[in-house]
Amino acid sequence: MDIFLQQLLNALSLGGTYALLALGLAVVFSIIGLINFAHGELMTVTGYAVCFALIWGLPFPLAVIAGLAVAMTAAFLMERVAFRPVRGASGTTLLLTSFAVSAILRVLFQNLISARPIPVAIPASLSGVVTIGPLHLGMIQLISIIVTLAMLLGLNLFLHRTMAGRAMRAAAEDFAVLRLMGLRANSVVATAFAISGLLAGVAGVLWVAQRGSVDPLMGALPVLKAFIAAIIGGLGSLSGAVAGGFLLGFIEVILQAYLPESLLPYRDAFAILLVIAVLLFRPQGLLARKTLVKL
Amino acid sequence: MTMPDDSLLSIEGLTVSYGAVEAVRGIDLTVRRGEIVTLLGANGAGKSSTLNALVGLAPRKAKRMVFAGTDLTGLPPETIVRRGMTLVPEGRRVFSSLTVEENLMLGGAKHAARGNPAQVKADMLERFPILAERLHQKAGSLSGGEQQMLAIGRALMSSPDLLLLDEPSLGLAPQVVDRIFDLIGNLRDRGLTILLVEQNVAQSLEIADRGYVLANGRVELQGSAEALRSSPEIQDAYLGA
Ligand SMILES: Nc1ncnc2c1ncn2[C@@H]1O[C@H](COP(=O)(O)OP(=O)(O)OP(=O)(O)O)[C@@H](O)[C@H]1O
Ligand SMILES: [Mg+2]
């Protein structure tokens, strides 16, 4: 039982990071129909920002704030420079554009920073272990669970209690009609990107804090996972993205814990098999919602 | 024929093309303050394209396109709506996962400058008691008629001078249709100017002052509602006499 509880906490921590990333993908997809494959590079850029802020001698909390600010700015600029010119274009055009942005950023990281991992000086206080009764939980894992829950709560409040949040929910349903309310399309899209940047930034900080280093491809794998999570949940559905993220986290942790040693290298393959199984029964994803992408 | 100074909306040579499809082929249209003008025509005649083009949601070209003294050329929908012309789109298109109240809030979100939103909302709920009852329900859970009321209410939250209505009676039961037409008449009596697209020709010509009949993207007939009602073309094609 304790072991199970322990695994549950591991799953919550990993799944939470996937959920934040999947949510960032879904927020943008729900509004402009773009699957942003450069979302991972927002994580990476956050990692570098935190890393350099620490090297320049900023205290850790300020470095984190700097990282998040850089992530939001990068997301905002990405929209302004790369995605706004192709807004309303076909899904393929949008997809190729986001691949291009992702590839360009990776090359820039490799050539302007370094192709190799750079260590990030994470404060020692974060690497401790917290013991709650029989459970041993990494400090970072604990923080990551708390931060994830706080982000989900915060986003939920934003979406339901503020006018900008209501506008985002409405835009996800029917962008053209939202413009008939007199709300500027550009500001709604910019808000969506800023939020997705913030979510990628938080996930990036949590990821770097666990790994202690940052490299040009850091964001690639987690965002691939987040993409799978968003599909499981039903692309464009925000609650679906969260559910998909946690589900994928659970599947991975359970497989890691209970697969025989010889099969462990195939863990991701098994995870993807389970995803395929989910989609066989619910091709639209778990919490699919009809999205209307019209301008 | 029309005094230029009392026209609220004046359009010349409007065309709407979707790629190779020319949905509207150069129409002239005038709406004067305080009128109900109805735009009639068969399926695919270009009625919705015309309304969508007026608010900037459909690709458009025009020789002249002036609303309340403002040249509409090149303006995006959000700016046009802020100038006082708004559209209740075909098929209602309420935000179904948002509550009734949130739909109304969004309708009034950017219009504090045009009127007192709290007052507008109070008037609205008095006019639509059914919406007041359902304020916290999801818009998607309303009946078709209620959704239409909400769509109109949401548009009225921006205190428009000109309201474009695209087939408000579409798919509604006859008693509900009557209520919608009553409502449109009331709105005009309170000073709102209305451009009404309808398939329901008889009822539209009853409340309208003037009308246009579109066919294949061109104005086929136009005139006062009375003249249209008694014209042989309308009698044959729509009123089944
Ligand atoms: N977004 C679009 N893309 C391409 N073609 C379109 C689009 N919207 C309308 N059309 C075409 O333009 C023509 C006019 O359509 P429109 O919707 O304006 O007609 P309508 O008079 O409103 O018809 P209805 O009574 O069925 O609503 C039709 O041939 C339609 O197929
Ligand atoms: Mg139509």
Side-chain angles (χ1 to χ4, degrees):
Chain A
M1 191 57 216
D2 292 345
I3 292 184
F4 180 75
L5 212 55
Q6 181 83 54
Q7 298 296 358
L8 196 72
L9 288 171
N10 291 343
L12 268 181
S13 140
L14 181 66
T17 305
Y18 291 159
L20 292 180
L21 287 169
L23 201 49
L25 289 175
V27 163
V28 166
F29 181 83
S30 70
I31 292 180
I32 57 170
L34 162 79
I35 299 169
N36 186 9
F37 275 101
H39 198 63
E41 280 57 53
L42 293 174
M43 262 182 102
T44 313
V45 92
T46 310
Y48 283 125
V50 172
C51 174
F52 291 128
L54 289 173
I55 290 174
W56 286 329
L58 285 187
F60 189 70
L62 283 185
V64 168
I65 290 173
L68 299 182
V70 166
M72 288 173 80
T73 312
F76 184 83
L77 288 177
M78 221 181 241
E79 193 274 325
R80 195 72 191 76
V81 174
F83 297 129
R84 191 174 296 182
V86 293
R87 188 169 326 146
S90 73
T92 323
T93 307
L94 296 176
L95 203 60
L96 287 176
T97 308
S98 84
F99 274 129
V101 172
S102 164
I104 290 170
L105 288 176
R106 285 179 194 180
V107 170
L108 287 179
F109 295 149
Q110 275 162 7
N111 291 320
L112 299 182
I113 303 174
S114 165
R116 287 201 307 234
I118 305 183
V120 181
I122 300 299
S125 56
L126 288 185
S127 54
V129 170
V130 189
T131 308
I132 310 170
L135 300 174
H136 303 287
L137 200 58
M139 190 67 185
I140 289 180
Q141 273 185 316
L142 192 64
I143 291 177
S144 133
I145 293 174
I146 292 169
V147 167
T148 303
L149 295 181
M151 286 298 290
L152 294 181
L153 191 69
L155 186 64
N156 200 42
L157 284 177
F158 169 77
L159 288 172
H160 288 88
R161 298 285 162 81
T162 68
M163 201 51 91
R166 292 185 187 107
M168 301 234 336
R169 283 156 61 218
E173 249 188 65
D174 195 328
F175 202 168
V177 173
L178 183 70
R179 302 180 74 185
L180 288 177
M181 310 290 107
L183 292 154
R184 288 186 213 288
N186 285 341
S187 20
V188 176
V189 174
T191 311
F193 269 90
I195 290 177
S196 113
L198 178 64
L199 290 165
V202 171
V205 170
L206 294 175
W207 202 259
V208 168
Q210 297 202 0
R211 298 182 357 150
S213 73
V214 48
D215 66 83
L217 296 182
M218 180 185 99
L221 192 61
V223 162
L224 188 64
K225 298 283 176 62
F227 174 61
I228 294 170
I231 298 226
I232 302 180
L235 251 182
S237 151
L238 303 192
S239 36
V242 174
F246 279 112
L247 183 64
L248 189 62
F250 277 98
I251 292 175
E252 288 194 353
V253 166
I254 301 283
L255 288 176
Q256 178 73 38
Y258 298 110
L259 269 188
E261 189 109 23
S262 60
L263 289 179
L264 266 186
Y266 304 105
R267 188 195 69 176
D268 283 354
F270 280 106
I272 296 200
L273 266 184
L274 279 174
V275 169
I276 293 174
V278 169
L279 293 181
L280 276 179
F281 290 101
R282 301 222 21 140
Q284 299 302 312
L286 292 176
L287 299 174
R289 194 175 54 74
K290 154 180 133 311
T291 33
L292 187 77
V293 182
K294 264 200 263 176
L295 268 186
Chain B
M1 183 176 91
T2 314
M3 298 293 289
D5 42 335
D6 69 346
S7 75
L8 182 58
L9 176 72
S10 159
I11 305 293
E12 283 170 34
L14 174 69
T15 61
V16 179
S17 315
Y18 307 101
V21 181
E22 228 188 6
V24 177
R25 308 160 189 241
I27 65 170
D28 298 351
L29 192 102
T30 307
V31 181
R32 288 177 236 154
R33 263 180 213 285
E35 277 188 319
I36 296 182
V37 173
T38 182
L39 197 56
L40 304 170
N43 284 329
K47 308 180 296 292
S48 298
S49 299
T50 302
L51 294 194
N52 292 338
L54 289 176
V55 293
L57 283 176
R60 67 204 190 196
K61 278 199 200 112
K63 287 209 202 79
R64 201 178 112 83
M65 199 163 33
V66 177
F67 167 71
T70 313
D71 183 1
L72 296 180
T73 314
L75 296 185
E78 42 270 49
T79 309
I80 293 175
V81 171
R82 290 177 192 207
R83 297 281 159 85
M85 168 160 80
T86 194
L87 166 70
V88 178
E90 186 175 289
R92 319 186 238 286
R93 289 167 73 173
V94 296
F95 301 118
S96 49
S97 67
L98 275 63
T99 65
V100 168
E101 186 171 38
E102 289 176 321
N103 271 271
L104 293 175
M105 280 172 152
L106 284 172
K110 285 292 160 192
H111 304 280
R114 297 185 54 78
N116 175 352
Q119 186 59 46
V120 175
K121 187 175 165 200
D123 288 352
M124 183 79 49
L125 295 179
E126 199 178 325
R127 192 194 306 275
F128 299 112
I130 192 72
L131 298 184
E133 267 169 49
R134 314 251 147 126
L135 222 43
H136 302 294
Q137 241 168 279
K138 292 263 165 77
S141 70
L142 303 185
S143 72
E146 291 162 359
Q147 289 192 12
Q148 189 63 62
M149 309 257 176
L150 176 57
I152 295 175
R154 182 179 66 179
L156 292 177
M157 288 295 292
S158 67
S159 312
D161 297 318
L162 174 59
L163 184 65
L164 314 180
L165 289 168
D166 197 345
E167 300 206 32
S169 76
L170 187 74
L172 301 181
Q175 321 84 285
V176 185
V177 172
D178 291 345
R179 279 181 35 217
I180 298 275
F181 274 98
D182 284 348
L183 169 69
I184 297 171
N186 283 338
L187 290 173
R188 187 256 316 268
D189 296 343
R190 294 193 40 171
L192 190 61
T193 308
I194 292 167
L195 178 56
L196 169 68
V197 161
E198 260 300 335
Q199 301 259 3
N200 195 328
V201 173
Q203 270 174 301
S204 303
L205 287 176
E206 236 164 73
I207 61 164
D209 299 291
R210 291 186 304 117
Y212 294 81
V213 180
L214 290 189
N216 295 318
R218 293 205 168 83
V219 175
E220 195 182 48
L221 270 180
Q222 58 175 301
S224 71
E226 279 151 276
L228 288 176
R229 262 200 307 261
S230 51
S231 79
E233 292 93 333
I234 294 270
Q235 288 283 334
D236 291 349
Y238 299 104
L239 299 179

